[in-house]
Coordinates of all heavy atoms in Angstrom, one line a residue:
M1203 N -15.8 -3.6 21.7 CA -15.0 -4.8 21.2 C -16.0 -5.9 21.5 O -16.5 -6.2 22.6 CB -13.8 -4.8 22.1 CG -12.9 -6.0 21.7 SD -11.4 -6.1 22.6 CE -10.9 -4.5 22.9
S1204 N -16.1 -6.8 20.4 CA -16.9 -8.0 20.6 C -15.9 -9.3 20.8 O -14.8 -9.2 20.3 CB -17.8 -8.3 19.3 OG -16.9 -8.5 18.2
I1205 N -16.5 -10.2 21.5 CA -15.8 -11.4 21.8 C -16.1 -12.4 20.6 O -17.3 -12.6 20.4 CB -16.1 -12.0 23.0 CG1 -15.6 -11.0 24.2 CG2 -15.5 -13.4 23.3 CD1 -16.0 -11.4 25.6
I1206 N -15.2 -12.9 19.9 CA -15.5 -13.9 18.9 C -15.9 -15.3 19.4 O -16.9 -15.9 18.9 CB -14.2 -14.1 18.0 CG1 -13.9 -12.7 17.2 CG2 -14.6 -15.0 16.9 CD1 -12.8 -12.7 16.4
F1207 N -15.3 -15.7 20.5 CA -15.5 -16.9 21.1 C -15.7 -16.9 22.6 O -15.0 -16.2 23.2 CB -14.3 -18.0 20.8 CG -14.1 -18.3 19.4 CD1 -13.0 -17.8 18.7 CD2 -14.9 -19.0 18.7 CE1 -12.7 -18.1 17.5 CE2 -14.7 -19.3 17.3 CZ -13.6 -18.9 16.7
S1208 N -16.6 -17.6 23.1 CA -16.8 -17.7 24.6 C -15.7 -18.7 25.0 O -15.0 -19.3 24.2 CB -18.1 -18.2 25.0 OG -18.2 -19.6 24.6
G1209 N -15.4 -18.8 26.3 CA -14.4 -19.7 26.9 C -14.6 -21.1 26.4 O -13.6 -21.8 25.9
S1210 N -15.9 -21.6 26.4 CA -16.0 -23.0 25.9 C -15.8 -23.2 24.5 O -15.4 -24.2 24.0 CB -17.4 -23.6 26.5 OG -18.5 -22.7 25.8
E1211 N -16.4 -22.2 23.7 CA -16.2 -22.3 22.3 C -14.7 -22.1 21.8 O -14.3 -22.9 20.9 CB -17.0 -21.1 21.6 CG -18.4 -21.2 21.6 CD -19.1 -19.9 21.2 OE1 -18.6 -18.8 21.5 OE2 -20.3 -20.1 20.6
L1212 N -13.9 -21.4 22.6 CA -12.5 -21.3 22.3 C -11.9 -22.7 22.5 O -11.0 -23.1 21.8 CB -11.9 -20.2 23.2 CG -10.5 -19.6 22.8 CD1 -10.6 -19.1 21.5 CD2 -10.1 -18.7 23.8
L1213 N -12.2 -23.3 23.6 CA -11.6 -24.6 23.9 C -12.2 -25.6 22.7 O -11.3 -26.4 22.3 CB -12.1 -25.3 25.2 CG -11.8 -26.7 25.5 CD1 -10.2 -26.8 25.6 CD2 -12.3 -27.0 26.9
E1214 N -13.3 -25.5 22.3 CA -13.8 -26.4 21.2 C -13.0 -26.2 19.9 O -12.6 -27.1 19.2 CB -15.3 -26.3 21.0 CG -16.1 -26.8 22.0 CD -16.0 -28.4 22.1 OE1 -15.9 -29.1 21.1 OE2 -15.9 -28.8 23.3
V1215 N -12.7 -24.9 19.5 CA -11.8 -24.6 18.3 C -10.5 -25.2 18.6 O -10.0 -25.8 17.8 CB -11.8 -22.9 18.3 CG1 -10.8 -22.7 17.2 CG2 -13.2 -22.5 17.8
A1216 N -9.9 -24.9 19.8 CA -8.6 -25.4 20.0 C -8.5 -26.9 19.9 O -7.6 -27.6 19.2 CB -8.1 -25.0 21.4
L1217 N -9.6 -27.6 20.3 CA -9.6 -29.1 20.3 C -9.7 -29.4 18.9 O -9.2 -30.5 18.4 CB -10.6 -29.6 21.2 CG -10.3 -29.5 22.7 CD1 -11.6 -30.0 23.5 CD2 -9.2 -30.2 23.1
G1218 N -10.7 -28.9 18.2 CA -11.1 -29.1 16.9 C -9.9 -28.9 15.9 O -9.6 -29.9 15.0
I1219 N -9.1 -28.0 16.0 CA -8.0 -27.7 15.2 C -6.9 -28.6 15.4 O -6.1 -29.2 14.5 CB -7.4 -26.2 15.3 CG1 -8.5 -25.3 14.8 CG2 -6.1 -26.1 14.8 CD1 -8.3 -23.8 15.1
E1220 N -6.7 -29.0 16.7 CA -5.5 -29.8 17.2 C -5.7 -31.3 17.4 O -5.0 -32.0 17.8 CB -4.9 -29.1 18.3 CG -4.4 -27.8 18.2 CD -3.4 -27.5 17.1 OE1 -2.8 -28.4 16.7 OE2 -3.5 -26.5 16.5
R1221 N -6.8 -31.7 16.8 CA -7.2 -33.1 17.1 C -6.1 -34.1 16.7 O -5.8 -35.2 17.3 CB -8.5 -33.5 16.6 CG -9.6 -33.1 17.4 CD -10.9 -33.4 16.9 NE -11.9 -32.6 17.7 CZ -13.0 -33.1 18.1 NH1 -13.5 -34.2 17.7 NH2 -13.8 -32.4 18.8
N1222 N -5.5 -33.8 15.6 CA -4.5 -34.7 15.1 C -3.2 -34.5 15.6 O -2.3 -35.4 15.5 CB -4.4 -34.6 13.6 CG -5.6 -35.0 12.8 OD1 -6.3 -35.8 13.2 ND2 -6.0 -34.2 11.8
R1223 N -3.0 -33.5 16.4 CA -1.6 -33.3 17.0 C -1.6 -33.4 18.5 O -0.5 -33.7 19.1 CB -1.1 -31.9 16.7 CG -0.8 -31.7 15.1 CD -0.1 -30.5 14.8 NE -0.3 -29.4 15.7 CZ 0.3 -28.1 15.6 NH1 0.8 -27.9 14.3 NH2 0.1 -27.2 16.4
A1224 N -2.7 -33.1 19.1 CA -2.8 -33.1 20.6 C -3.3 -34.5 21.1 O -4.3 -35.0 20.6 CB -3.5 -31.9 21.1
S1225 N -2.7 -35.0 22.2 CA -3.2 -36.3 22.8 C -4.0 -36.0 24.1 O -4.5 -36.8 24.6 CB -2.1 -37.1 23.1 OG -1.2 -36.5 24.0
S1226 N -4.0 -34.7 24.5 CA -4.8 -34.3 25.7 C -5.3 -32.9 25.5 O -4.9 -32.2 24.8 CB -3.9 -34.3 27.0 OG -3.0 -33.3 26.9
Q1227 N -6.3 -32.6 26.4 CA -6.9 -31.2 26.5 C -5.8 -30.2 26.8 O -5.7 -29.1 26.3 CB -8.1 -31.2 27.4 CG -9.2 -31.8 27.0 CD -10.5 -31.7 28.0 OE1 -10.3 -31.3 29.1 NE2 -11.5 -32.4 27.6
V1228 N -4.9 -30.6 27.8 CA -3.9 -29.8 28.2 C -2.9 -29.4 27.0 O -2.4 -28.3 26.9 CB -3.1 -30.3 29.5 CG1 -1.9 -29.4 29.7 CG2 -4.0 -30.5 30.6
E1229 N -2.5 -30.4 26.3 CA -1.6 -30.3 25.2 C -2.3 -29.4 24.0 O -1.7 -28.6 23.5 CB -1.3 -31.6 24.6 CG -0.3 -31.5 23.4 CD 0.3 -32.8 23.1 OE1 -0.1 -33.9 23.6 OE2 1.0 -32.8 22.0
A1230 N -3.6 -29.6 23.9 CA -4.4 -28.8 22.9 C -4.4 -27.4 23.4 O -4.1 -26.4 22.5 CB -5.8 -29.3 22.7
L1231 N -4.7 -27.1 24.6 CA -4.5 -25.7 25.2 C -3.2 -25.2 25.1 O -3.1 -24.0 24.7 CB -5.0 -25.7 26.6 CG -6.6 -26.0 26.8 CD1 -6.9 -26.3 28.2 CD2 -7.5 -24.8 26.2
D1232 N -2.2 -25.8 25.4 CA -0.8 -25.4 25.1 C -0.6 -24.9 23.7 O 0.1 -23.9 23.5 CB 0.3 -26.5 25.6 CG 0.4 -26.7 27.1 OD1 0.0 -25.7 27.8 OD2 0.8 -27.7 27.5
I1233 N -1.0 -25.7 22.8 CA -0.9 -25.3 21.3 C -1.6 -24.1 21.1 O -1.1 -23.1 20.4 CB -1.4 -26.5 20.4 CG1 -0.4 -27.7 20.6 CG2 -1.4 -26.1 19.0 CD1 -0.8 -28.9 20.0
G1234 N -2.9 -24.0 21.6 CA -3.7 -22.7 21.4 C -3.0 -21.5 22.0 O -3.0 -20.4 21.5
I1235 N -2.4 -21.8 23.2 CA -1.9 -20.7 24.1 C -0.6 -20.2 23.2 O -0.4 -18.9 23.1 CB -1.4 -21.1 25.4 CG1 -2.6 -21.3 26.3 CG2 -0.4 -20.2 26.0 CD1 -2.4 -21.9 27.6
Q1236 N 0.1 -21.0 22.6 CA 1.4 -20.6 21.8 C 0.8 -19.9 20.5 O 1.5 -18.8 20.2 CB 2.2 -21.8 21.4 CG 3.5 -21.4 20.8 CD 4.4 -20.5 21.6 OE1 4.7 -20.8 22.8 NE2 4.7 -19.3 21.1
A1237 N -0.2 -20.3 19.9 CA -0.9 -19.7 18.8 C -1.1 -18.2 19.2 O -1.0 -17.4 18.4 CB -2.0 -20.4 18.2
E1238 N -1.8 -18.1 20.3 CA -2.2 -16.7 20.8 C -1.0 -15.8 21.0 O -0.9 -14.6 20.6 CB -3.2 -16.8 22.0 CG -4.4 -17.3 21.7 CD -5.4 -16.8 20.7 OE1 -5.1 -15.6 20.3 OE2 -6.3 -17.5 20.2
K1239 N 0.0 -16.3 21.6 CA 1.3 -15.7 21.9 C 1.9 -15.3 20.5 O 2.3 -14.0 20.4 CB 2.3 -16.5 22.6 CG 1.9 -16.7 24.1 CD 2.8 -17.4 24.8 CE 2.4 -17.7 26.3 NZ 3.4 -18.6 27.1
D1240 N 1.9 -16.0 19.6 CA 2.5 -15.8 18.2 C 1.7 -14.7 17.5 O 2.2 -13.9 16.9 CB 2.5 -17.1 17.3 CG 3.4 -18.1 17.8 OD1 4.3 -17.8 18.6 OD2 3.3 -19.3 17.4
S1241 N 0.4 -14.7 17.7 CA -0.6 -13.7 17.1 C -0.3 -12.3 17.7 O -0.2 -11.4 17.0 CB -2.0 -14.0 17.2 OG -2.4 -15.2 16.4
I1242 N -0.1 -12.3 19.1 CA 0.2 -11.0 19.7 C 1.6 -10.5 19.3 O 1.6 -9.3 18.9 CB 0.4 -11.2 21.3 CG1 -1.1 -11.7 21.7 CG2 0.9 -10.0 22.0 CD1 -1.2 -12.1 23.1
L1243 N 2.5 -11.4 19.0 CA 3.8 -10.9 18.6 C 3.7 -10.4 17.1 O 4.2 -9.3 16.8 CB 4.9 -12.0 18.7 CG 6.2 -11.7 18.1 CD1 6.8 -10.5 18.9 CD2 7.1 -12.9 18.1
F1244 N 3.0 -11.2 16.3 CA 2.8 -10.8 14.9 C 2.0 -9.5 14.8 O 2.6 -8.5 14.2 CB 2.0 -11.8 14.2 CG 1.5 -11.4 12.8 CD1 2.5 -11.5 11.8 CD2 0.3 -10.8 12.5 CE1 2.0 -11.1 10.5 CE2 -0.2 -10.5 11.2 CZ 0.8 -10.6 10.1
Y1245 N 1.0 -9.2 15.4 CA 0.3 -8.0 15.4 C 1.1 -6.8 16.0 O 0.9 -5.7 15.6 CB -1.2 -8.1 16.0 CG -2.1 -8.9 15.0 CD1 -2.5 -10.1 15.4 CD2 -2.4 -8.4 13.8 CE1 -3.4 -10.9 14.5 CE2 -3.2 -9.1 13.0 CZ -3.7 -10.4 13.3 OH -4.4 -11.1 12.4
T1246 N 1.8 -7.1 17.1 CA 2.5 -6.0 17.7 C 3.6 -5.5 16.7 O 3.8 -4.3 16.6 CB 3.2 -6.4 19.0 OG1 2.2 -6.9 19.9 CG2 4.1 -5.4 19.7
E1247 N 4.2 -6.4 16.1 CA 5.3 -6.1 15.0 C 4.6 -5.4 13.8 O 5.2 -4.5 13.3 CB 6.1 -7.3 14.6 CG 7.0 -7.7 15.6 CD 8.0 -6.7 16.1 OE1 8.6 -6.0 15.2 OE2 8.3 -6.7 17.3
M1248 N 3.4 -5.8 13.4 CA 2.6 -5.3 12.4 C 2.3 -3.9 12.6 O 2.4 -3.0 11.7 CB 1.4 -6.2 12.2 CG 0.5 -5.7 11.1 SD 1.1 -6.7 9.7 CE -0.4 -6.7 8.8
Q1249 N 2.2 -3.4 13.8 CA 1.9 -2.0 14.2 C 2.9 -1.1 13.6 O 2.7 0.1 13.2 CB 1.8 -1.8 15.6 CG 1.2 -0.5 15.9 CD 0.5 -0.5 17.3 OE1 0.7 -1.5 18.1 NE2 -0.3 0.5 17.8
N1250 N 4.2 -1.6 13.6 CA 5.3 -0.7 12.9 C 5.3 -0.5 11.5 O 5.9 0.2 10.9 CB 6.7 -1.4 13.3 CG 6.9 -1.4 14.8 OD1 6.4 -0.5 15.6 ND2 7.5 -2.5 15.3
L1251 N 4.4 -1.4 10.8 CA 4.3 -1.3 9.4 C 3.1 -0.7 8.8 O 3.0 -0.6 7.5 CB 4.4 -2.8 8.8 CG 5.6 -3.6 9.3 CD1 5.4 -5.1 8.9 CD2 6.8 -3.1 8.7
V1252 N 2.2 -0.4 9.6 CA 0.9 0.3 9.2 C 1.0 1.8 9.3 O 1.7 2.2 10.2 CB -0.4 -0.4 9.8 CG1 -0.4 -1.8 9.4 CG2 -0.3 -0.1 11.3
K1253 N 0.1 2.5 8.7 CA 0.0 3.9 9.0 C -0.5 4.1 10.4 O -1.3 3.5 11.0 CB -1.0 4.5 8.0 CG -0.6 4.4 6.6 CD -1.7 4.9 5.6 CE -2.8 4.0 5.5 NZ -3.9 4.1 4.5
P1254 N 0.0 5.3 10.9 CA -0.4 5.6 12.3 C -1.9 5.6 12.5 O -2.4 5.4 13.6 CB 0.2 7.1 12.5 CG 1.5 7.0 11.7 CD 1.0 6.3 10.3
A1255 N -2.6 6.1 11.5 CA -4.1 6.1 11.5 C -4.7 4.8 11.9 O -5.7 4.4 12.4 CB -4.6 6.6 10.3
D1256 N -4.0 3.6 11.4 CA -4.4 2.3 11.7 C -3.9 1.6 12.9 O -4.4 0.4 13.2 CB -4.0 1.4 10.5 CG -4.7 2.0 9.2 OD1 -5.8 2.5 9.3 OD2 -4.2 1.7 8.1
H1257 N -3.1 2.3 13.8 CA -2.6 1.7 14.9 C -3.6 1.3 15.9 O -3.5 0.4 16.5 CB -1.7 2.6 15.8 CG -0.3 2.9 15.0 ND1 0.7 3.5 15.6 CD2 0.3 2.4 13.8 CE1 1.8 3.5 14.7 NE2 1.4 2.7 13.7
Q1258 N -4.7 2.0 15.9 CA -5.8 1.6 16.9 C -6.5 0.3 16.5 O -6.8 -0.5 17.5 CB -6.9 2.8 17.0 CG -7.9 2.4 18.1 CD -7.4 2.4 19.4 OE1 -6.5 3.1 19.9 NE2 -7.8 1.2 20.2
V1259 N -6.5 0.0 15.2 CA -7.2 -1.3 14.8 C -6.3 -2.4 15.2 O -6.8 -3.3 15.8 CB -7.3 -1.2 13.3 CG1 -7.7 -2.6 12.7 CG2 -8.4 -0.2 12.8
I1260 N -5.0 -2.2 15.0 CA -3.9 -3.3 15.5 C -4.0 -3.5 16.9 O -4.0 -4.6 17.4 CB -2.5 -2.9 15.0 CG1 -2.4 -2.8 13.4 CG2 -1.5 -3.9 15.5 CD1 -2.8 -4.0 12.7
L1261 N -4.1 -2.3 17.7 CA -4.2 -2.4 19.1 C -5.4 -3.2 19.7 O -5.3 -4.1 20.5 CB -4.1 -1.0 19.7 CG -4.1 -1.0 21.2 CD1 -2.9 -1.7 21.9 CD2 -4.2 0.5 21.7
T1262 N -6.5 -3.0 19.0 CA -7.7 -3.7 19.2 C -7.6 -5.2 19.0 O -7.9 -6.0 19.8 CB -9.0 -3.2 18.4 OG1 -9.2 -1.7 18.7 CG2 -10.2 -3.8 18.6
I1263 N -6.9 -5.5 17.9 CA -6.6 -6.9 17.7 C -5.7 -7.5 18.6 O -6.0 -8.7 19.2 CB -6.2 -7.2 16.1 CG1 -7.1 -6.7 15.2 CG2 -5.5 -8.5 16.0 CD1 -6.6 -6.6 13.7
V1264 N -4.7 -6.9 19.0 CA -3.8 -7.3 20.0 C -4.5 -7.5 21.4 O -4.4 -8.6 22.0 CB -2.6 -6.4 20.3 CG1 -1.8 -6.7 21.6 CG2 -1.7 -6.4 19.0
N1265 N -5.4 -6.6 21.8 CA -6.2 -6.8 23.0 C -7.1 -7.9 22.8 O -7.3 -8.6 23.9 CB -7.0 -5.5 23.3 CG -6.0 -4.4 23.7 OD1 -4.9 -4.6 24.3 ND2 -6.4 -3.1 23.6
Q1266 N -7.7 -8.2 21.7 CA -8.5 -9.4 21.6 C -7.7 -10.7 21.8 O -8.2 -11.6 22.4 CB -9.2 -9.5 20.2 CG -10.4 -8.4 20.3 CD -11.1 -8.3 18.8 OE1 -10.5 -8.9 17.8 NE2 -12.1 -7.8 18.8
E1267 N -6.6 -10.7 21.2 CA -5.7 -11.8 21.3 C -5.3 -12.1 22.7 O -5.1 -13.1 23.2 CB -4.5 -11.7 20.3 CG -4.8 -11.7 18.9 CD -5.5 -12.8 18.3 OE1 -5.2 -13.9 18.6 OE2 -6.5 -12.6 17.6
R1268 N -4.9 -11.0 23.4 CA -4.6 -11.2 24.9 C -5.8 -11.7 25.7 O -5.6 -12.5 26.6 CB -4.2 -9.8 25.4 CG -2.9 -9.3 25.0 CD -2.4 -8.1 25.7 NE -1.0 -7.8 25.3 CZ -0.7 -6.5 24.8 NH1 -1.6 -5.5 25.0 NH2 0.6 -6.4 24.5
D1269 N -7.0 -11.2 25.3 CA -8.2 -11.9 26.0 C -8.3 -13.3 25.6 O -8.6 -14.1 26.6 CB -9.5 -11.1 25.6 CG -9.7 -9.8 26.1 OD1 -9.0 -9.4 27.1 OD2 -10.5 -9.1 25.5
H1270 N -8.0 -13.8 24.4 CA -8.1 -15.2 24.1 C -7.0 -15.9 24.9 O -7.2 -17.0 25.4 CB -7.8 -15.4 22.6 CG -8.8 -14.8 21.6 ND1 -8.5 -14.5 20.4 CD2 -10.1 -14.4 22.0 CE1 -9.6 -14.0 19.9 NE2 -10.6 -14.0 20.8
L1271 N -5.8 -15.4 24.9 CA -4.6 -16.0 25.8 C -5.1 -16.2 27.2 O -4.9 -17.2 27.8 CB -3.4 -15.1 25.6 CG -2.2 -15.6 26.5 CD1 -1.8 -17.0 26.1 CD2 -1.0 -14.6 26.3
N1272 N -5.7 -15.1 27.7 CA -6.2 -15.3 29.2 C -7.2 -16.3 29.3 O -7.1 -17.1 30.3 CB -6.7 -13.9 29.7 CG -5.6 -12.8 29.9 OD1 -4.5 -13.3 30.2 ND2 -5.9 -11.6 29.7
Q1273 N -8.2 -16.3 28.3 CA -9.2 -17.4 28.5 C -8.6 -18.8 28.3 O -9.1 -19.7 29.1 CB -10.2 -17.2 27.3 CG -11.0 -15.9 27.5 CD -12.0 -15.7 26.2 OE1 -11.8 -16.5 25.2 NE2 -12.8 -14.7 26.3
L1274 N -7.7 -19.0 27.5 CA -7.1 -20.4 27.2 C -6.3 -20.7 28.6 O -6.3 -21.9 29.0 CB -6.2 -20.3 26.1 CG -7.0 -20.4 24.8 CD1 -6.0 -20.2 23.5 CD2 -7.8 -21.7 24.6
S1275 N -5.7 -19.6 29.1 CA -4.8 -20.0 30.4 C -5.7 -20.3 31.5 O -5.4 -21.2 32.3 CB -4.0 -18.7 30.6 OG -3.1 -18.5 29.7
Q1276 N -6.9 -19.7 31.6 CA -7.8 -20.1 32.6 C -8.4 -21.4 32.4 O -8.6 -22.1 33.4 CB -9.0 -19.1 32.7 CG -8.6 -17.6 33.3 CD -7.9 -17.6 34.6 OE1 -8.4 -18.4 35.5 NE2 -6.7 -17.0 34.8
L1277 N -8.7 -21.8 31.3 CA -9.2 -23.1 30.9 C -8.1 -24.2 31.3 O -8.5 -25.2 31.7 CB -9.5 -23.2 29.4 CG -10.9 -22.5 29.1 CD1 -11.0 -22.5 27.5 CD2 -12.1 -23.1 29.6
K1278 N -6.9 -23.8 31.0 CA -5.8 -24.8 31.3 C -5.8 -25.0 32.8 O -5.6 -26.2 33.2 CB -4.5 -24.3 30.7 CG -3.4 -25.3 30.9 CD -2.0 -24.8 30.4 CE -1.0 -25.8 30.7 NZ 0.4 -25.3 30.3
K1279 N -6.0 -24.0 33.6 CA -5.9 -24.2 35.0 C -6.9 -25.1 35.5 O -6.8 -25.7 36.6 CB -6.0 -22.8 35.6 CG -4.7 -21.9 35.6 CD -5.0 -20.6 36.3 CE -3.8 -19.7 36.0 NZ -4.0 -18.3 36.6
Q1280 N -8.1 -25.2 34.7 CA -9.2 -25.9 35.2 C -9.0 -27.4 34.8 O -9.7 -28.2 35.2 CB -10.5 -25.6 34.6 CG -10.9 -24.1 35.0 CD -12.0 -23.5 34.2 OE1 -12.8 -24.2 33.6 NE2 -12.3 -22.3 34.5
C1281 N -8.1 -27.8 34.0 CA -7.8 -29.1 33.6 C -6.9 -29.8 34.6 O -6.1 -29.3 35.3 CB -7.0 -29.1 32.3 SG -8.0 -28.7 30.8
P1282 N -7.2 -31.1 34.8 CA -6.3 -31.9 35.7 C -4.8 -31.8 35.3 O -4.5 -31.6 34.0 CB -6.7 -33.3 35.5 CG -8.0 -33.3 35.0 CD -8.1 -31.9 34.1
K1283 N -3.9 -31.9 36.2 CA -2.4 -31.9 35.8 C -1.9 -32.7 34.8 O -1.2 -32.3 33.9 CB -1.6 -32.1 37.0 CG -1.8 -31.0 38.1 CD -0.9 -30.0 37.9 CE -1.0 -28.9 39.0 NZ -0.9 -27.6 38.8
L1284 N -2.6 -34.0 34.7 CA -2.1 -34.9 33.6 C -2.8 -34.7 32.3 O -2.4 -35.3 31.2 CB -2.2 -36.3 34.1 CG -1.4 -36.8 35.3 CD1 -1.7 -38.1 35.8 CD2 0.1 -36.7 35.0
G1285 N -3.8 -33.9 32.3 CA -4.6 -33.7 31.1 C -5.6 -34.9 30.8 O -5.4 -36.0 31.1
N1286 N -6.7 -34.6 30.2 CA -7.8 -35.5 29.9 C -7.5 -36.0 28.4 O -7.4 -35.2 27.6 CB -9.1 -34.8 29.9 CG -9.5 -34.4 31.3 OD1 -9.1 -35.0 32.3 ND2 -10.2 -33.4 31.4
P1287 N -7.4 -37.3 28.3 CA -7.3 -37.7 26.9 C -8.4 -37.2 26.0 O -9.5 -37.1 26.5 CB -7.2 -39.3 27.0 CG -7.0 -39.5 28.4 CD -7.4 -38.4 29.2
L1288 N -8.1 -36.8 24.8 CA -9.1 -36.4 23.9 C -10.0 -37.6 23.4 O -9.3 -38.7 23.2 CB -8.5 -35.8 22.6 CG -7.7 -34.5 22.8 CD1 -7.1 -34.0 21.5 CD2 -8.7 -33.4 23.3
K1289 N -11.2 -37.4 23.5 CA -12.1 -38.7 23.1 C -12.5 -38.3 21.6 O -13.2 -37.5 21.3 CB -13.3 -38.7 24.0 CG -12.8 -39.0 25.4 CD -14.1 -39.1 26.2 CE -13.6 -39.6 27.6 NZ -13.9 -38.8 28.7
L1290 N -12.0 -39.0 20.8 CA -12.2 -38.9 19.4 C -13.1 -40.0 18.8 O -12.9 -41.2 19.1 CB -10.9 -38.9 18.4 CG -9.8 -37.7 18.9 CD1 -8.6 -38.0 18.0 CD2 -10.5 -36.4 18.8
E1291 N -14.1 -39.7 18.0 CA -14.8 -40.7 17.5 C -13.9 -41.3 16.3 O -13.0 -40.6 15.7 CB -16.0 -40.0 16.6 CG -17.0 -39.3 17.5 CD -17.7 -40.3 18.5 OE1 -17.9 -41.5 18.1 OE2 -17.9 -39.9 19.8
E1292 N -14.2 -42.5 15.9 CA -13.5 -43.2 15.0 C -13.3 -42.4 13.7 O -12.2 -42.5 13.1 CB -14.0 -44.6 14.8 CG -13.1 -45.6 14.0 CD -11.7 -45.8 14.7 OE1 -11.7 -45.9 15.9 OE2 -10.8 -46.0 14.0
S1293 N -14.4 -41.9 13.3 CA -14.4 -41.2 12.0 C -13.6 -39.9 12.1 O -13.3 -39.3 11.0 CB -15.8 -40.9 11.6 OG -16.4 -40.0 12.6
E1294 N -13.2 -39.5 13.2 CA -12.5 -38.2 13.3 C -11.0 -38.5 13.4 O -10.2 -37.6 13.3 CB -12.8 -37.4 14.7 CG -14.3 -37.0 14.6 CD -14.6 -36.3 16.0 OE1 -14.7 -37.0 16.9 OE2 -14.6 -35.0 16.0
R1295 N -10.6 -39.6 13.4 CA -9.0 -39.9 13.4 C -8.5 -40.1 12.2 O -8.9 -40.3 11.1 CB -9.0 -41.4 14.2 CG -9.3 -41.4 15.6 CD -9.2 -42.6 16.2 NE -9.8 -42.6 17.5 CZ -9.5 -43.3 18.5 NH1 -8.5 -44.2 18.5 NH2 -10.0 -43.1 19.7

């Protein structure tokens, strides 16, 4: 199983995707955590719709999503309680 993103890359993706909605790193991580939970639910339910021969593929994806969830949760624990304001360049707003 390969990891698509390292912890710091995962944070950058979460921040990059959520720049317009999140006002802090903690909020961006919360959005990313919810997205991972939604993905886990989606793929778990998807397993009921695919052929038994494909169950392992779905299980692999679910396990990757759980890894992402754990990474984001660990990153969130490292953030200050109030969250760091996102520093956006003027051109990114």
